[in-house]
Structures are given as C-alpha cells and as structure tokens.
Amino acid sequence: MQESIPSQKIKIFAFVCNWCTYAGADLAGTARMHYAADVRIIRHTCTGRIDPLFLIKAFENGADAVIVSGCHPNDCHYNEGNYLARRRWAVVRKLFAFMGIDDKRIHFSWVSAAEGAKWAQLVNDVAAKVAQLGPMKYLDSCEVDL
Amino acid sequence: MKTIEQQKAEIVHLFEQKKISMVVAFENYRGIVRPVFVKDIKDVEKISFDMSGKQNLATYLKRAEIKKQFPLAMVVRPTEKSSIALLIKENQLKVEDVLLIESMVSQDQIEWKKAQDIEIDRLWKMSFSERMDFWKKNFQNCIRCYACRQSCPHCYCQYCKADKNQPTWVERSAHLQGNFSWNFLRAFHQAGRCIECGACENACPANIPLMLLNRMQNKITAESFGESDPKKYLLSDWSKDDDNSFFL
Amino acid sequence: MSRIGVFVCHCGENIGRTVDCGKVALESGKLQNVAISIDYKYMCSSPGQELIKNSIREHGLDGVVVAACSPRMHEKTFRGACAQAALNPYLCEMANIREHCSWVHDDKEAATAKAMDIVRSLVAKTVRNEKLFPIKIPVTKRALVIGGGVGGIQTALDIANSGHEVILIDKSPSIGGRMAALSETFPTLDCSQCILTPKMVDVAQHSKIKLVTYAELESVEGFVGNFKVKIRQKARYVDPIKCTGCGLCSQKCPVKNIASEFDEGLGMRRAIYTPFPQAIPNRPVIDKNNCTKLKTGKCGVCQKICQVGAINYEDKDQIVEYEVGAIVVATGLRALETREIYPEYGQGRHKDIITAMQFERLASASGPTLGVIKRPSDGKVPEKIVFIQCAGSRDSNAGYPYCSKICCMYTAKHAMLYKHKVHDGKAFVFYMDIRACGKNYEEFVRRGIEEDETSYLRGRVAKIYEENGQLVVNGIDTLSGEKMSIKADMVVLATAMSAQLESVHLAQLLGISYDQNNFYSELHPKLNPVDTATAGIFLAGSCAGPRDIPDTVASAGAVAAKVGGLFSKELLEREPIVACTKSFSNMNTCSGCFSCLQACPYGAIEQEIIVDKKQQQKKMVAKVNQGLCQGCGSCVSICRAGCLDLKGFSDEQMYESIIGMGGS
C-alpha cells in the first residue's frame, strides 16, 4: 500500500482514450497505486475524437487543469487517431498559450494500458504543479482594466 | 506585361464571346475602393485595376447567387489566387468556374507583416497573465458581428459550428467567454489554410488584431510538422516526424 | 425530462471502505433527471442485477447509471441486464468509482466528493444517450484467396473444408509458389514437393475451390461481406479443358532457350511450357513474348502436333467478375538479388556466385541438374562452397534493415544437403548471428555443425573476386580475429527476402496499408496478426513479413478461422459505435470539403450527391459507411462545420459529461 497523496483541492479534467490511458488508469487502480484525488477522467474512444472545444468547455466549467492522454504513436487502436490528435494539439496548445492560457494547466501524455505507474505519477506531478498556480478563474469576470 | 487597356479589352472580349456572365473586381467609387460585380460590357469601364481594396474578392465565391453565375471572371491579386487555389483544393470550386485575370499591380504587405512580427514577439515575451489581459481587452470589444467570418473566403460552412446549438460549444452572446471561444475557433479552423490576406482584420469594426493569431499559428504549423500531402487538409494528415516533444 | 436510475455498488469493501456509497446514492437522487438512486453491496451479482431490472420495470426508467467498477470490466454485464428488462442496452452507462476512485485514494471525503462528480457526469451523459442497435450487413459467403503458395493453398483448403466457396487465383500458370521450388525443408528435411503436391492436388479436386491460375486481381469494389472483384484471366493460348497435359507441344517447341523463372535462370524452358513437372493445373501456357507464332505469325508446330486441338492462338485476356465476402492476401515475397546493393559480392558477374533460391534448384531432384550440385560455369562438382548469410538483410544503408528470418535455417540446410550429396565437400558459412528460434531449429543447426562438419565463421565478407579462374572470398572470423581468404568453387548468397514488386500496387487496389518495407500491415502486430485495418481483408503468410513454412501454415489456418467467423452468420453484426452524419433542422450542412475522408484511417467516408434544400442545388457531401467505420471519431473533430457525430460518444453526450463533471 502506498502512502496517501492528499487532494490539492483543484479539479483536473482528464480526456483519455478507452484503449490505452483509461486501461492504464484501471491498472493503477488494480495495483492500488495512490495518486491525488483531483483528477476526473472522461472516457473517449480515441484521442482523435477529442476536440479543443472540450478543453475550453472544461475551463468554463471549473477545471483548473486539463490532461489529454492516449496511446503511444504506432499503437493507436484505430491506427492513426493519435497521430491526427498529435498534430491538432501542436497547433492548439500554442494558440492557447498565445491567448494567455497558462500552459502549465494543459498537459499531454502518452500512457499505455500497461503504464499504471506512469499514470499515477503523472497525476501527482500535474496536481502538485497546478496547486502552486492556484485555481483557474477562467474568464469568469468581465472586469478588465479599462 | 499587359496594360490596363489590354486587360479591359480582354474582359470585353470575354463578354462578347459569352464565355462569362460576370466579372468580380474592384471599382473606385468616389475615392473608395470597393468590390464591384460587372454584368454588362458598358460597366467594364468601372473596373479599377489598382487593386488596393482591403477585401479578399474570393469571399464572394461562397454565395449561392454568385455560384449561379459560374463561369465568371475575377480580377485577382496573389491574395485571391491563393484563396481560389485553396477553394479548389477543398472542393468548393472547380478550376473552370473562375477565369483569373491577373492584376499587374504588385501587392505589398511587407510593412504590415513586419509590424505584426514585432508585436507577436512582444506578446510572446510577456507572461501568460499579461497576454491574457491583452486578449481580454481585445475580445471584450468583440461584438460578434462575424465580419471576420464573412470576409474570409475560407469560412464557407453553410452552418458555422459557432452558430450551432445541440450542444452550444460557443456561447453566442457577445460576452467574454464566448468571444474567446469564437476567436479561438476561427483561428484554429484556419490552421494550414490562412493565406494571411488580412481581410478579417481589415473588416473587424473593433480593430481586433486578428492577424496576430493567424500569423502566429502559421509559424507554428510551418515548423512543427513533418511532411504533409499538399492535397490534404493539414490536420487530416500526419507524419512520423510531427512534433512529439510536448507529450509526457 | 429523463428517468435515470442510479445504482451505486459497494463492491463489498472495495468501494464501500473509501467511498460513502449511501451518501453518493442520496446526493445522486437529488439530481434532476434521476428517478431513483440506490446503493447495494454487489451490483454484478444475480440479486444485484435483478434489482436493476426490477427498478427499470417499476419506475419506468429510460436510462441506467451503474456506479461501480470499470466499464471495461462489467459494461457488458449491466447492458445485458438492461436488455433483459427491455431497456436498450446503450442507454446504460457505468461510472467508474472503483479503479479510478476508491482504489487509488484514501481520503474518504475527497474520494466521496469525486465519486459524486463522476456519477453526476455519467448521469448527464446518459440523459443524451440514444437507443442504438447493432449494425447488420449481409455477407456473401465466398472467399477470394490471392496467391497460391503454401499459405494460399492452406487457407483455401481450410476455408473450403469449413463449407464455404473459395476462389483461388495465382499469377503463375501453376500454384505452388516458392515452396514448390524448394528441395528439402527445414528442420525435417522433408522433400518439399512431396509434402506440398498432395495439398495442391486437394485444391484442384476440392468441390468448393475454384482454381484460376495465370490470373491477377484487376479491381476491387465494395466492403466487408460485399466485395465485387474483377479478375483478369491472362490468355493461356491453350484450352485447359481440351488439353490432356501430354506435354508433346513443349517437347517439340523450337524455341528452347528461354531462362526458366522456376529454375531461377539456371535451366531453360520453351515458349510453350508448364513451369515444373508437378504443376497444378498440369496445362501449358504460351509465353506470348517469346512465341514465334504469336510474334511473327510463323511456326505453329505446337498446334500441328496437338492431338486434341487444344492450341488457340486467338485467345485473349478475359475479365471475370465475382462477388465475395472476404479477401485473403497470400502473395508471399521474393528473394532479392544482391547485385544492386552489394556489387562487391560479384553476383551476376560470375556464374558460380549464386543466390540461395538458385542453390535450391540445384539441390532439387527435378531441377536443372537433377539434384547434383554442379557449378553453373563448367558443370564440375564444387569441393568447397562458401555460404554467406545476411547478404542484404539487417542493413539499413542498403534499405533492408530487417532480418529475413529464414536464411540462418536454410543456409544450415543447404550446407547439410551439400554435404549429404558431396561427401568430401567442405562448407563454410559466414554469419553475424544464428537465428534458430523454432521447434527443433537449434538442434538442426547443431547437427549441421557437429555431424556434417559445416564451418561457421562469425564475420562478414568484404569482397569476392576471381583470380586465375579461381573464386576467392575475403572475409573475417571475428571470434579468432583472423582474416580469412577462402578459395571457393561456389558461393551461395542468402539474399534478403523482400516484398513482391507489385505489392504496393496490390495494396492500393485493395485499400490496405503497407509498411516502409512494402510488407502489408496487420491490424495489430500482437493481437490481430492476420486481420488488416480494412474489414474483410486478411493476410496469410509472408506477404506480411518474412516467415517460415510452419508460421505461414499457422497464419493460413488463423485466417480461415477468421473468415469462418465472418461467414458464420447470415447478417454481420457490429457494435454500433460508429460515426454518422448530423443534420440540423433536417438539413445536411456538409460543405463537401472531405477533410473527414482524408483523415479516416479506414476509408469509411464516402461521397454522396444530394439536393441542398437551401440552395436548391445538387451538392456532394460526406457519408459514413457504417460497415467500415470502426468508431474512432477522428472525423467528428476534424469536421470544421460540426456535421459528423459519433454514436455512443456524441457531441451532446461529451458536452453534458464535461459540464456534469464540473459541478452542480
């Protein structure tokens, strides 16, 4: 049994693919690996399905950070979905960063169905990082210095 | 090198031969350069070849009433040519739909682009929250008039995703969250497609520096990807050499 | 308003110890759209499932969320229970509060709060679930097998023996492939022809197999269960029905000096020929590029001599169409020549530097030398042979980075066969490694070393040249550190096994993928080694990568099992998690840019012409072929206009699950 990892009182939305990362997170569970309770996993068929608007919607609805995770290149259950996703994210992350969304709040990873430990470590790292940044407060106020 | 007279004669000839029923070009109306749709030989005189108009004429090729006039001719600059090439690539036009009459006037946007590059660099040097404030100030002025979308030839979707509900991905009212989403979405949908004509920024009544987003994105797409099939939408393709460095 | 039932499972202590299940059930019951919310010790047990079924009936539920273990565990179980209670199974979702919650956190408060978020998210999603029904497509129970080597032959026999029709085509005049040209096979030293010919005869005589040789695939249309294929039957110029296979025509044909493809150029054939004596079908063809009559109009000896009038110089290629439900690719591979990549090995410059396939023909009892190992240059029996392994394989610079898998074994075999035939002969093998991984393979190689005294030298050969009429092989033995210079009477090169020259063309006809070495790509290298990404098209044998006879025959059997599975029902049923077009106000809003078609890994997007209601014009729009779609959803997020959706994970469902996760 691992030592307990305290919740950082933030919300991390994780958009993951069913075949790799979701299974990897299941494995972390079966092996009773402990990680911060701040992550909320939303299951998809493939990372290719994940639209950047999902991330924006997450921020609009209380997410302080977002993780997008899927199968390693070459291993996609659907052959190419993760490659299409990879290209999409290269553009989206720069757009988000340029528009001022802190890139320490958006993380991308490849976690396979065998990498339960990697998943646990990833969540802990992201939770610790984001806790330091504090809550997101995404565009919730229209008050700007005029 | 053709003279303006020669080009006008060419257009008259096309009308006489009934090869086209319309010419889309610019006219100079009381000192204002604006698009003109010439359907009659006698109106060919109106056409101004100085091509300093701020619109991208190719945007009119989206319209149903214009499509009914195919094949038509258009007086084009590199801007319109690039957009037409993209529209043909994306099955919105056929090569024979538009006869290109090339304006001999050169189109110089170098000074403008230099200023944009300097501004992009300046923004990248800021912190995230400073950048967020910059865009907040800009997007709070956005009135969601969609002039940017209307002026862009590549925004041809009959029903824009931003106008759709069920579900409502982009809030429609002109408030900050929705404005952010809208401008992000339009920029993102231009990835690999924007030809940097600046028609969107020129059309924006709130003077939002949209070109900063588009040009910054073009720089990213130029350097992040391996080989792509030129016949495909950039994001429909992939390469083993695409940037993988940001994956944990 | 929906009527969702929430069922929170304690899973004994597994969830109950960390998550306050009662509280989760209580709070979930307060959610809008939830009609009933209860907790129970073991939801997947019989009483647990009864609880769900009864609740569905009693409360008129139109959706079910089971908060328990991972859906990868029990989604099927609970969907089955719902189906039994007459609720569409796809209206049932699982909230993972065990693997993703109770098992990985021990702060009870945080875990319970998280469990409530997860349940809320899934309830919100389920409100938007649609009834889905398995997709049914008809199946033509006939298979096309492309390639009549041992792989194609085996798979054809296995499929036919399970009761289905097979069409087996091969581009050569006879089936048999590479194995028919071998002398003996490792590790048993069975005579290759002896074990293959009975199978070839079975194919020819099988009532369910239609054998079409000297034919190639011309085009393919359709999709799994419903392919339309066109086969080009090349003109044989000999009527196979009238012909009796007597062989007189070949004996009398005056054109004698054509290098035989079957004998790897070491022997000759005629212009009218059967490739080898045991050919099936045993009917000759005329090689139109070398036949005097077909080229100039003169000669005609074969027609005059034929006693049954089987020769027809007017014959033409024919295109024949078939409907099949599955296609098996068993096109094998080819052995490379080294002259392009290792000119320093002298192949092509000296007649006694030969390839491994040529050595097979020399060793073969029905070969050009009737099984006597003779030097092609002067016909003398070689006293010393040098075998060189890895003559092309495992060399990224040469363009063949992979291991060709069979060469270590066949080289050991060649050295042994040579020694069995030439008792005083001396065999040297230059090797990098010895890959003898199969059953009895290592013992076989050791036998060659210990009993047949093959000398194994670990090192590469730098150069082979001729000095005063004598071949000299310069190499190195890295274990002793000595440079070796061997005067050899013959050199045999284990050249790389590579994809067939037409493999890319065939892949493009079929719409299957191939890798950087032009071998065909399997659906999953470990879990699905005989399927391709294209439903209904399978790979048998070495077209997917070099392999030996046991693996080829095994994969052929695996393919037959898959084809049998495909054909086992009248209608193919597939999980309905597929993409679909999304219409708005009954309008198709597709712009026809086909970015989706470009992205789809399965070619499942088709083009369709419809009438646009708004513009009153015809337009070409995208349409999903649900038979081919595998449900990744990439097209959905690629579509800029948002015209596509994914059943089971629709835009609405994902939207609600994100908002639901965020909080009340």
Side-chain angles (χ1 to χ4, degrees), chain A:
Chain A
M1 276 287 266
Q2 292 187 320
E3 55 177 80
S4 63
I5 315 281
S7 158
Q8 308 287 354
K9 310 264 186 283
I10 48 166
K11 272 203 179 168
I12 305 170
F13 282 30
F15 298 90
V16 307
C17 81
N18 176 60
W19 305 96
C20 283
T21 303
Y22 196 92
D26 276 355
L27 179 64
T30 326
R32 313 296 197 274
M33 298 183 194
H34 280 228
Y35 53 86
D38 305 290
V39 69
R40 307 279 185 272
I41 293 178
I42 299 178
R43 180 168 77 130
H44 300 264
T45 47
C46 179
T47 45
R49 167 79 183 93
I50 303 169
D51 198 309
L53 289 169
F54 292 5
L55 272 59
I56 292 185
K57 228 8 116 182
F59 287 130
E60 286 176 5
N61 282 280
D64 300 302
V66 159
I67 298 175
V68 177
S69 183
C71 306
H72 287 262
N74 233 358
D75 296 345
C76 178
H77 180 86
Y78 303 96
N79 294 350
E80 297 175 15
N82 59 354
Y83 286 129
L84 294 165
R86 175 168 73 176
R87 207 172 247 212
R88 185 182 308 150
W89 297 125
V91 171
V92 168
R93 67 187 281 264
K94 283 296 178 183
L95 255 183
F96 279 168
F98 191 65
M99 289 166 93
I101 301 180
D102 194 332
D103 65 4
K104 291 185 275 308
R105 295 188 184 274
I106 307 180
H107 298 268
F108 302 95
S109 64
W110 304 128
V111 174
S112 78
E115 291 178 314
K118 183 174 179 185
W119 176 249
Q121 188 61 53
L122 176 71
V123 174
N124 285 334
D125 289 344
V126 172
K129 228 182 258 181
V130 177
Q132 283 187 335
L133 294 171
M136 173 88 183
K137 292 199 211 144
Y138 177 76
L139 297 177
D140 55 358
S141 155
C142 290
E143 285 176 19
V144 172
D145 285 331
L146 295 167

Side-chain angles (χ1 to χ4, degrees), chain B residues 64 68 90-92 156-159 161 164-169 171 189 193 231-233 235-236, chain C residues 582 584 587-589 591-595 598-599 612 614-615 619 638-642 651-652 655:
Chain B
K68 291 203 174 97
E90 296 184 352
N91 303 310
Q92 302 305 303
Y156 48 70
C157 292
Q158 212 184 350
Y159 247 107
K161 192 161 182 171
K164 286 179 172 168
N165 50 23
Q166 294 179 335
T168 310
W169 288 113
E171 297 297 326
H189 280 182
R193 306 165 72 224
K231 293 199 279 299
K232 282 189 179 182
Y233 172 41
L235 300 184
S236 288
Chain C
K582 200 173 173 183
F584 288 85
M587 270 197 283
N588 184 315
T589 59
S591 329
C593 74
F594 294 109
S595 302
Q598 294 167 0
D612 182 317
K614 227 183 184 181
Q615 298 190 338
K619 68 172 181 178
I638 295 252
C639 180
R640 295 186 291 273
D651 262 1
E652 295 244 37
Y655 178 87

